[in-house]
Amino acid sequence: MNPKDVRSLIRKKQLVRPTAGIAQGYTQANLAILPKEVAYDFLLFAQRNPKPCPILDVTEIGSPEPKLAAPGADLRYDIPKYRVYKKGQLYKEVLDIEEYWNNDLVAFLLGCSFTFETPMIKNGIPVRHIEENCNVPMYITSIECKPAGIFSGPVVVSMRPIPQELVIRAVQVTSRFPAVHGAPIHIGAPEAIGIRDINKPDFGDAVTINEGEVPVFWACGVTPQAVAMKVKPDLMITHAPGYMFICDTRDEDLSVF
């Protein structure tokens, strides 16, 4: 399906599932919505932390339309599941954010590693959470973001187990997509980045790691949610981890040769 058809199903609440593998070939994006009073601080935070927070689009104040990433879309309805954080606490998961939207909000779309999974598959690199029809595992790490304004906190990573002989190829393929996290930030040894149990992700689902496979970690756009838990802004609205916004942009439009 093309992105508009997918967003139509999502808006009708007929598609409520993680979006990995959906609308293959098109860019997927993380969402962070904040009051305008702290939006500049977040913009600066994202600029200083481009690996976990690569910016694809920023809306006008009070507008839910991502005019660059998907003209005509509406960020109040076009994501399968949202999270509402109040003062750093997860307040509620909802299927739309109409009742929480107001004219003082600014929405940020951040690149998502789901975008480079189609090129990975085309290069013969397995993507385990797609194979197992579940959400990608995500972990809060001991790696700290560079602070900006009120924002600071740990980097979140997503993990994909890669056959040892394909790890270099996975690095090569994903390096072509810096706008959606790019190359991995860590390979192997989860404990080296503060992950105590690879089978207990902080977000998403655990996946099978077969013999001869290496856990490979990419910076993840769920990082703002970990940051929200730490710095406790009055309000932050995000996507639920793994439930992304589907852009009109094709993945190859973001590739670097």
Side-chain angles (χ1 to χ4, degrees), residues 82-114:
Y82 301 81
R83 283 187 166 185
V84 180
Y85 289 89
K86 292 188 175 182
K87 296 189 181 299
Q89 299 295 316
L90 177 57
Y91 172 71
K92 192 176 288 187
E93 283 195 342
V94 294
L95 301 186
D96 69 65
I97 54 170
E98 182 176 14
E99 69 174 286
Y100 302 100
W101 187 264
N102 64 63
N103 290 331
D104 287 331
L105 296 178
V106 179
F108 296 82
L109 288 178
L110 309 174
C112 171
S113 59
F114 286 176

Side-chain angles (χ1 to χ4, degrees), residues 32-49 53 55 58-61 104-108 110 146-152 233 235-236:
I33 299 174
L34 289 155
K36 65 181 181 182
E37 289 77 14
V38 295
Y40 176 77
D41 280 2
F42 186 78
L43 183 67
L44 185 60
F45 177 80
Q47 189 271 334
R48 289 179 179 173
N49 297 278
C53 299
I55 293 176
V58 183
T59 66
E60 304 287 344
I61 298 171
D104 287 331
L105 296 178
V106 179
F108 296 82
L110 309 174
K146 295 177 182 177
I150 70 166
F151 293 102
S152 64
L235 176 68
M236 179 184 279

